[in-house]
Amino acid sequence: MNQQQDITPAALPDGIIELQGENFLRDTGGRLVPIDAIKPEDLLMDETTRRICAYADELSARISRFRGHTFDDIASAVDLMTEKYGRRLGGAKGNVTLTSFDGTLQVKVQVQDQITFGPELQAAKELVDICISRWSEGSNAQVRTLIQHAFQVDKEGRINRSALFQLRRMRVEDGDPEWRAAMDALSDAIRVIGSKEYVRFYRRDHPRARWEPITIDLASA
């Protein structure tokens, strides 16, 4: 049975424009083209695209409603647990894990900070460049590659955050003062501009089995 039958699609316009008793579709240039003058394969593609997008719109709306209800239910459970039993679920940042009594179902809420970097980042880069030029040619090539990679900007103008945080965890021999100053500047450059909540779902056959994600992402479904 077609799984799409489980979803009632939103009523998307069919794109047909009626003028003086004749039906038209608008082309990519905004011109009205009589349906009789459009190739059958183009009409089929138009119809299929509109039908799929109608289901996609409805599914997107359902997922949005589901997400809202999920966070509301979790917040209610946390508040009730705190008020009635004096026990608060979750960590300081709002991370929460709910598990079914039989240990086979789990809901996780994870809160991730959204960060950006201030002007101190440029100072950190200049200090790191000084360290690279001062270190001998025989220094660890992997370390040099990581340093150079960390400050590269991608096509969207974003700094490689993962590599920058790896730099902060690196230990440099002899406690190089310029390296310490660079890492201090890097720490000062970090700005937390907000946070985003993620909810994930898991299941397993029995309490000793490995957790498996309940997939909602279309790309990995």
Side-chain angles (χ1 to χ4, degrees):
M1 185 176 69
N2 190 337
Q3 293 181 352
Q4 289 184 337
Q5 292 178 355
D6 296 333
I7 301 174
T8 301
L12 283 183
D14 57 14
I16 295 176
I17 299 171
E18 185 177 348
L19 287 175
Q20 298 178 348
E22 188 174 1
N23 292 330
F24 298 82
L25 286 179
R26 197 178 299 277
D27 68 8
T28 56
R31 297 177 293 270
L32 293 179
V33 180
I35 285 183
D36 292 342
I38 299 174
K39 295 178 181 179
E41 58 267 34
D42 288 338
L43 289 174
L44 176 60
M45 184 183 300
D46 180 81
E47 179 186 351
T48 303
T49 302
R50 291 179 183 279
R51 183 173 64 253
I52 292 173
C53 285
Y55 284 111
D57 274 350
E58 177 61 25
L59 184 58
S60 176
R62 289 180 60 175
I63 290 175
S64 179
R65 291 193 295 270
F66 167 71
R67 186 180 188 277
H69 290 317
T70 296
F71 281 115
D72 287 345
D73 288 345
I74 291 172
S76 296
V78 169
D79 290 343
L80 182 60
M81 186 80 73
T82 303
E83 178 182 349
K84 191 170 183 179
Y85 304 104
R87 176 191 170 195
R88 181 166 183 82
L89 294 173
K93 284 193 173 184
N95 296 325
V96 177
T97 298
L98 305 178
T99 307
S100 63
F101 190 69
D102 65 359
T104 62
L105 296 171
Q106 195 171 78
V107 179
K108 281 189 175 184
V109 174
Q110 295 171 306
V111 181
Q112 291 185 357
D113 287 336
Q114 295 178 300
I115 66 171
T116 187
F117 294 94
E120 297 88 349
L121 187 63
Q122 182 60 37
K125 183 180 185 308
E126 292 174 359
L127 288 167
V128 167
D129 287 342
I130 292 173
C131 292
I132 291 178
S133 63
R134 183 164 43 79
W135 292 343
S136 67
E137 289 298 326
S139 60
N140 191 315
Q142 185 176 0
V143 171
R144 295 169 67 90
T145 300
L146 173 62
I147 291 171
Q148 292 165 355
H149 183 53
F151 289 97
Q152 288 180 352
V153 176
D154 64 15
K155 290 185 295 185
E156 284 74 35
R158 295 173 300 198
I159 291 290
N160 189 322
R161 298 178 182 181
S162 176
L164 283 175
F165 290 134
Q166 281 184 270
L167 284 187
R168 296 177 68 204
R169 293 193 292 270
M170 279 177 45
R171 291 186 177 182
V172 175
E173 294 181 4
D174 302 325
D176 191 307
E178 283 174 325
W179 180 263
R180 289 202 308 270
M183 293 304 98
D184 288 343
L186 181 54
S187 297
D188 292 341
I190 297 173
R191 306 279 195 274
V192 178
I193 58 174
S195 61
K196 186 173 180 62
E197 289 182 310
Y198 297 88
V199 60
R200 296 179 173 88
F201 315 93
Y202 302 89
R203 62 184 165 206
R204 57 186 179 184
D205 294 334
H206 55 83
R208 290 175 299 282
R210 179 179 177 180
W211 288 109
E212 299 292 340
I214 299 174
T215 302
I216 294 179
D217 180 11
L218 185 63
S220 56

